[in-house]
Amino acid sequence: GSPEAPLFPLAGRTVTISAGGTREPLDPVRFLGNRSSGKQGVALAEAARDAGATVRLVAAHMEVPAPAGVDVVSVETALQLRDAMLSAAAGSDVVIMAAAVADFRPADVSGTKIKKRDGHADPVVSLVRNPDILHELVTVRDAGGTSQLVVGFAAETGDAHGDVLEYAAEKLKRKGCDLLVVNHVGSDKVFGQDHNSVVILSRAGSEPQSASGTKHDVAAVVIDRIGAELSRVFP
Ligand code: CTP
Ligand code: CA
């Protein structure tokens, strides 16, 4: 950074971050989950804390411990994560959705353990869509007329119909967030790994910013960028 860069660029700011993967119950002992480790969200929480912010971490299932020096709320499901994020976001200067939220949950949750029953058909799981929490956070922000910065993450693979950046640009528009941090996902990439390669897209339309390295390195770049956006938008 420049010689005049502040030591604690997020001093006085409150940053709310979701991390990990939600778990959607089928019965008291089973759930639908995903492979998110929580590492990127935890790295962001540490980087924001080290930049001087007050950090609220909404933690779905994580394979790593929550960092010291941040307020942690633990959740399981997407619906719980939504409630926790909406309340933590109130009064936050920055909201970052790094959690892997289940797009669908089982339509019915059995109150008792689902059993095999000979002579009966095997169960079929019906799914219903979970709310888009990132989109809701943007809607609430806009309705409140505050200048809160809302940041999303996206994992994209690209396919025959479009490349990673095309899909990411569409997603940024659809979500309405200020920044979208895009991971290029291959079969062996991102989930549970310590290295990461991302592009940061902005709604304001500035040049895509690339970053790669450990999830810690990526988090530092994202938090730096957030600091720059904050001092530009509401110093
Ligand atoms: N997200 C969210 N609520 C959901 C799903 C996703 O808030 N129900 C957030 C994620 O935390 C992430 C961003 O939205 O910050 C993008 O997630 P992604 O899964 O890439 O987007 P989706 O809208 O679910 O699109 P897709 O169909 O490609 O999975
Ligand atoms: Ca999704």
Side-chain angles (χ1 to χ4, degrees):
S2 55
E4 68 275 14
L7 198 46
F8 298 111
L10 296 187
R13 312 284 197 184
T14 298
V15 179
T16 291
I17 302 171
S18 69
T22 66
R23 289 178 160 185
E24 310 296 325
L26 283 158
D27 72 13
V29 297
R30 304 186 180 94
F31 58 84
L32 300 180
N34 62 67
R35 294 188 190 278
S36 174
S37 65
K39 286 178 182 173
Q40 185 66 78
V42 164
L44 287 160
E46 289 170 340
R49 175 200 64 194
D50 294 346
T54 297
V55 179
R56 301 171 178 167
L57 182 68
V58 175
H61 175 74
M62 307 199 303
E63 276 155 27
V64 292
V70 312
D71 291 332
V72 182
V73 176
S74 293
V75 298
E76 291 265 326
T77 67
L79 293 176
Q80 291 168 357
L81 191 136
R82 172 215 207 182
D83 288 349
M85 284 304 285
L86 285 170
S87 68
S92 291
D93 301 291
V94 181
V95 177
I96 307 176
M97 278 296 299
V101 181
D103 290 329
F104 306 98
R105 66 181 181 276
D108 303 297
V109 182
S110 173
T112 55
K113 189 181 166 197
I114 298 166
K115 304 288 285 180
K116 300 186 293 294
R117 292 206 295 157
D118 289 339
H120 287 78
D122 291 338
V124 174
V125 177
S126 310
L127 302 175
V128 293
R129 209 185 266 215
N130 276 323
D132 186 329
I133 301 165
L134 178 57
H135 189 261
E136 273 189 55
L137 288 163
V138 169
T139 304
V140 168
R141 188 269 316 267
D142 291 347
T146 65
S147 43
Q148 182 182 71
L149 198 72
V150 181
V151 181
F153 271 71
E156 297 288 348
T157 59
D159 60 22
H161 303 288
D163 69 19
V164 171
L165 285 186
E166 284 167 355
Y167 281 130
E170 276 171 31
K171 189 165 283 179
L172 174 70
K173 245 191 191 163
R174 179 154 50 79
K175 301 276 185 178
C177 53
D178 302 288
L179 298 175
L180 187 69
V181 184
V182 184
N183 275 304
H184 185 174
V185 190
S187 55
D188 60 338
K189 288 187 193 154
V190 182
F191 286 112
Q193 302 297 303
D194 287 318
H195 280 70
N196 218 349
S197 176
V198 305
V199 178
I200 305 172
L201 301 183
S202 87
R203 199 158 69 100
S206 46
E207 277 297 296
Q209 179 185 358
S210 296
S212 63
T214 64
K215 289 186 175 180
H216 181 85
D217 297 333
V218 168
V221 172
V222 171
I223 293 299
D224 263 7
R225 175 66 183 270
I226 286 170
E229 296 284 332
L230 281 178
S231 49
R232 202 172 53 76
V233 177
F234 57 115

